[in-house]
Amino acid sequence: QVQLVQSGTEVKKPGSSVRVSCKASGGTFNTYAIAWVRQAPGQGLEWMGGIVPIFATANSAQKFQGRVTITADESTSTAYMELSSLKSEDTAVYYCGSTVSGYVDYWGQGTLVIVSS
Amino acid sequence: EIVMTQSPATLSVSPGERATLSCRASQSVSSNLAWYQQRPGQAPRLLIYGASTRATGIPARFSGSGSGTEFTLTISSLQSEDFAVYYCQQYNKWPRGGTFGPGTKVDIK
């Protein structure tokens, strides 16, 4: 069973960047992909993108292209999601999740990112 | 981009009753459809994948059906812990995307 532990709450200024980490244990890191999903306060789930660590290939939703960078470090079994040019609308809980075929079977605990001046 | 819609937005059900939730895709996603449950303050939990396969540890009262553009999640007899928000997700274009529906909130009647 895969366990995913994410980094802690972040408070950022508009226009800055944030990087959220997601450390995996259990399973073999290069046998699954990592997806990133966010949830604004009181809102639904929003797919941001994902990475297949073994191929180091990342994809992102069109909405986030140019602003999100998803990477993975196989040596530490850790995936990262960096979001730049932050706006207040980016205030959300950011989740990572493991996936083999596109559905997320294990989830991290979530990381709250607050964007405020 | 594939757009997912869910209906109804809110479903009020009494404990022990059946709940039927709908999900529609703007174009065919074959059977590449998952359902998740999210309780307040918690991460989502995978219930169903492949439109109809229950995830590990999911009770048999949860069932999924459909293919193409129309999908249904049925909860046969609602328990107190089932009152939550349910999301569908298509992953037909994986790894190039996996859009979610807006969710259906199941609350106590």
Side-chain angles (χ1 to χ4, degrees), chain A residues 14-52:
Chain A
S16 66
S17 299
V18 67
R19 190 172 84 152
V20 179
S21 68
C22 171
K23 183 170 177 60
S25 60
T28 304
F29 190 61
N30 63 7
T31 61
Y32 50 86
I34 296 291
W36 289 92
V37 175
R38 77 176 186 180
Q39 186 170 39
Q43 302 302 308
L45 303 172
E46 183 173 31
W47 182 275
M48 297 184 70
I51 186 165
V52 184

Side-chain angles (χ1 to χ4, degrees), chain B residues 3-28:
Chain B
V3 177
M4 307 300 292
T5 56
Q6 291 185 243
S7 61
T10 302
L11 185 61
S12 297
V13 185
S14 299
E17 288 188 342
R18 172 187 293 255
T20 303
L21 289 66
S22 296
C23 173
R24 176 177 291 178
S26 61
Q27 60 184 267
S28 177

Side-chain angles (χ1 to χ4, degrees), chain A residues 31-83:
Chain A
T31 61
Y32 50 86
I34 296 291
W36 289 92
V37 175
R38 77 176 186 180
Q39 186 170 39
Q43 302 302 308
L45 303 172
E46 183 173 31
W47 182 275
M48 297 184 70
I51 186 165
V52 184
I54 191 172
F55 299 124
T57 54
N59 290 279
S60 59
Q62 189 169 3
K63 172 179 179 177
F64 299 102
Q65 286 177 6
R67 255 197 341 131
V68 70
T69 304
I70 297 172
T71 57
D73 182 343
E74 283 192 74
S75 68
T76 60
S77 299
T78 303
Y80 300 90
M81 185 284 300
E82 182 168 8
L83 188 63

